[in-house]
């Protein structure tokens, strides 16, 4: 025994020495890895920085001119850019460096992590990728050329929405809703094929499903996301039940139908993703003679985040052939940030202007001394959160008082209804996202299950709508995002959660108030300074949940969303 013990001791000693030598021997390798990474990043930047600027500019110009040749130029540059990320040897090198676990420098390690994921997403068999893109394009065409047919009349999506919102004719409502659902049969086979192709690609890259892959490549831990959605479900359920009952009572009176007989086509929206108009608020009237650009510019200047330079480069009004929606683009990660809008003096565009310039200030105030790879928002949903934080103000009575100079009595008069409609909007949207998120996750886990049943089970459970009796149609695929923008929808909800978390922190810690409703931040430069220092400046130097924790003292949680809209 004793001898054994001794010989063991010797061998342990020997091993210790052996490993010390090994570890010492590793040091030069470690330095080598570091140098290799530094060299790689230099070479990568020399290829990508100018090209991505060109591609961003080309896209911006195409959306303004609407010309085919401009769009073609933008698409060609995009292809060129994607080829950089698809390079197999480069990915192999990144993989080797990553697996060596030898990068300790914080900024280098963060760049390595981001580059690795960015390249990984492009390591798909080229032939398969092309097939996927072609099928997507075909499906996209089918969606955009589809018209719902009611009584021989062909209707656009907008016209269907108009009928659902305004008609009180029960037959017309049902017909319009069902006619729109006919797109399901047109695309379902292709979309199912696409879902399976996406899954195949994911499995080749070592992931369980396409859904799991998408989350992981976007630095989202599937379990963490699931937990947030479960938390949100619990927090919103009681209030949603109550509000759903209010809606049912209102609609039952408006349409002269008993509550038990209310059907999905009675809820004023194809998917019940937006709130029916049950409160009397007319926000448009407050904006009809206002200069929305000036309001936005002055408001952001007031909180210490001036945007006059950005407005100069932006394109804010309607033009022939121009893109009809709104977006913000960071051209060069050096302060050339532009917004595209089609401003009209109404509530929606006020919300949109505040929203898009929320994205814009985030990008404008990056610390430009950070490496190029890290000069991005911490995550797409963190920039969405900032945009939402500001967009929400357009219906906030205190903001309308401070910025539009409505009177005190006017503010009091609209206060309650404005809050109620914002709350209704939020809760309805949050229950709808539960359906989409859970559906996509389950569909990619098992695309061969009865998807029509899965869809209606979720709609019944989370939105509390009634399944039309005996209905067995691919209604899930009538939502275009499920087919064409996969595994992304949940980010809108995460953005809302984080907007509330930031709002709570600003109110509590910066404004030192416990009134979450009556805050406009107007004229308060400390607000801009906080956002700048803690969120914008650090860009994606930290993993998104670390950034949130550093900025608010907590990881992302649904708690403050509930505080703002449920309690
Ligand atoms: Zn946005």
């Amino acid at each position: 025994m004793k001898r054994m013990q001794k010989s063991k001791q010797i061998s342990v000693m020997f091993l210790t020495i052996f490993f010390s030598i090994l570890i010492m021997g590793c040091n030069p390798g470690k330095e080598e890895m570091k140098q290799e990474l530094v060299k790689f990043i230099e070479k990568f930047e020399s290829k990508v920085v100018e090209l991505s600027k060109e591609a961003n500019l080309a896209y911006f110009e195409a959306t303004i001119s609407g010309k085919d040749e401009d769009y073609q130029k933008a698409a060609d540059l995009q292809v060129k850019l994607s080829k950089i990320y698809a390079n197999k040897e480069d990915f192999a090198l990144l993989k080797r460096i990553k697996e060596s676990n030898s990068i300790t420098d914080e900024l280098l390690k963060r760049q390595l992590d981001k580059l690795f994921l960015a390249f990984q997403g492009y390591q798909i068999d080229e032939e398969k990728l092309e097939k996927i893109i072609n099928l997507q394009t075909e499906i996209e065409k089918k969606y955009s050329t589809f018209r719902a047919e009611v009584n021989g009349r062909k209707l656009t999506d907008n016209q269907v929405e108009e009928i659902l919102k305004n008609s009180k004719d029960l037959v017309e409502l049902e017909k319009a809703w069902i006619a729109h659902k006919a797109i399901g049969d047109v695309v379902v086979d292709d979309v199912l094929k696409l879902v399976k192709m996406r899954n195949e690609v994911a499995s080749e890259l070592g992931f369980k499903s396409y859904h799991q892959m998408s989350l992981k490549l976007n630095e989202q831990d599937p379990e963490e996301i699931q937990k947030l959605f479960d938390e949100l479900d619990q927090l919103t359920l009681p209030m949603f039940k109550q509000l759903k009952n209010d809606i049912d009572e209102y609609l039952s009176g408006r349409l002269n139908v008993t509550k038990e007989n209310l059907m999905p086509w009675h809820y004023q929206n194809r998917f019940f993703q937006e709130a029916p108009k049950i409160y009397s608020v007319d926000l448009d009237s407050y904006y009809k003679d206002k200069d929305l650009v000036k309001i936005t510019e002055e408001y952001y200047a007031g909180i210490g985040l001036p945007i006059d330079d950005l407005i100069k480069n932006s394109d804010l009004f309607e033009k022939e052939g121009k893109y009809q929606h709104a977006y913000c683009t960071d051209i060069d990660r050096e302060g050339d940030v532009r917004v595209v809008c089609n401003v009209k003096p109404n509530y929606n565009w006020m919300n949109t202007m505040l929203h898009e310039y929320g994205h814009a200030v985030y990008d404008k105030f990056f610390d430009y001394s950070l490496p190029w790879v890290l000069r991005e928002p911490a995550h797409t949903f963190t920039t969405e959160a900032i945009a939402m934080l500001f967009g929400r103000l357009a219906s906030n009575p205190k903001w309308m008082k401070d910025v539009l100079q409505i009177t005190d009595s006017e503010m009091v008069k609209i206060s309650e209804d404005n809050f109620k409609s914002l709350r209704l909007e939020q809760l309805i949207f949050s229950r709808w996202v539960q359906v989409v998120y859970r559906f996509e996750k389950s569909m990619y886990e098992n695309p061969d299950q009865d998807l029509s049943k899965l869809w209606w089970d979720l709609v019944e459970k989370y939105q509390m709508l009634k399944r039309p009796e005996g209905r067995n149609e691919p209604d899930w695929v009538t939502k275009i995002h499920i087919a064409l923008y996969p595994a992304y929808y949940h980010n809108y909800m995460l953005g809302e959660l984080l907007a509330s978390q930031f709002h709570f922190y600003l109110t509590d810690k910066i404004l030192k108030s416990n009134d979450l409703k009556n805050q406009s931040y107007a004229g308060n430069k400390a607000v801009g300074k906080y956002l700048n220092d803690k969120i914008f400046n650090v860009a994606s130097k930290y993993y998104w949940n670390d950034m949130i924790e550093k900025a608010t003292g907590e990881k992302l949680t649904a708690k403050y969303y509930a505080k703002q809209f449920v309690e």
Side-chain angles (χ1 to χ4, degrees), residues 286-315:
Y286 294 96
Y287 294 103
K288 67 174 191 293
D289 48 7
K290 293 285 189 296
D291 181 346
L292 271 47
V293 178
K294 193 165 155 250
I295 290 173
T296 310
E297 185 172 350
E298 286 175 359
Y299 175 72
Y300 276 101
I303 57 172
L305 302 169
I307 54 169
D308 44 334
D309 51 338
L310 309 186
I311 285 181
K312 268 187 211 120
N313 285 336
S314 296
D315 200 293

Side-chain angles (χ1 to χ4, degrees), residues 212-266:
Q212 193 209 42
M213 174 179 95
S214 296
L215 263 59
K216 287 194 165 176
L217 290 182
N218 284 296
E219 290 198 294
Q220 289 178 332
D221 172 3
E223 276 174 37
E224 216 174 316
I225 302 302
Q226 181 71 31
K227 250 200 262 162
L228 276 165
F229 272 84
D230 289 344
E231 185 193 2
L232 181 65
D233 171 31
Q234 281 184 357
L235 288 170
T236 51
L237 181 62
M239 179 57 80
F240 178 71
K241 264 190 189 155
Q242 217 176 301
L243 292 174
K244 173 70 173 35
N245 189 48
D246 292 351
I247 293 173
D248 287 356
E249 244 154 51
Y250 172 85
L251 291 175
S252 145
R254 178 186 153 85
L255 299 171
N256 207 7
V257 183
T258 61
K259 271 162 69 178
E260 298 67 42
N261 285 324
L262 282 169
M263 299 306 291
W265 43 87
H266 294 144

